[in-house]
Amino acid sequence: MHRIYSALIDIVAAAIFIVPLLALYGKISLRSLKQTLIYIVFAFYLVAVLSLVGFPSVLSLNLDFTINIIPLVDMISDFVNACLNVLLLGFLLPMLWKKYKAIKNTMLYAMCMTIAIEISQIFTFRTTDINDIITNMVGTLGGYFIAKRITKNFTQYPELNAENKDLYIICGTVMLIMFLLQPFTASLLWELIL
């Protein structure tokens, strides 16, 4: 339960920066309010994932080379959690961006994101694990097929005129905020709560 509270605090702490920045980006790039709100929700999803996987911050950089490169060791115990972490990624990407309606693009993005997260865990006290890559790919694949099934091959919901650069801007903004700014705000929020 502490993990959920911690993720909620991280989301609130990041929201202080994400909401104004993405709202400003929406105004500058002439995005609709609906599209900007969807981008903000996607950014919150990324914050929650990064919070739950232990993304490093400027306050918590520690080198720890605990790496598991043997697949399937202790994989079952964390399989459901890992799949849920990225199920929405496979679901949201094709719903928002036309490029990700192709399964290879969704899977490639998920693999790059998962590998980046696993590499970043070298700078935390979390284990970099091949099983996380495997389960995240399975979760993304599941999310992709659920989205495809629900939307009748992605034709029911248009992608809101989302540009590919928007995805990279959102991801880059969230990672920078989580690394540089969110830890300080989260610390202040924890002090207020406790």
Side-chain angles (χ1 to χ4, degrees), residues 13-33:
I16 293 169
F17 303 103
I18 288 172
V19 172
L21 285 174
L22 289 182
L24 180 63
Y25 177 70
K27 280 281 192 201
I28 292 170
S29 62
L30 303 174
R31 301 284 175 228
S32 69
L33 178 61

Side-chain angles (χ1 to χ4, degrees), residues 111-178:
M111 183 181 296
C112 290
M113 183 175 177
T114 300
I115 289 172
I117 288 171
E118 290 303 311
I119 290 171
S120 76
Q121 288 180 345
I122 291 173
F123 301 99
T124 65
F125 287 111
R126 305 269 318 223
T127 300
T128 300
D129 195 343
I130 188 70
N131 293 327
D132 290 345
I133 295 171
I134 294 168
T135 55
N136 288 349
M137 298 308 293
V138 170
T140 300
L141 191 62
Y144 178 87
F145 284 116
I146 289 170
K148 188 172 184 176
R149 176 79 175 148
I150 288 173
T151 63
K152 299 180 180 99
N153 295 324
F154 304 121
T155 57
Q156 188 174 353
Y157 298 100
E159 66 281 345
L160 301 170
N161 196 24
E163 296 180 24
N164 291 334
K165 69 175 179 155
D166 294 344
L167 175 62
Y168 306 123
I169 288 171
I170 293 167
C171 291
T173 300
V174 167
M175 287 182 176
L176 283 173
I177 288 170
M178 290 295 288

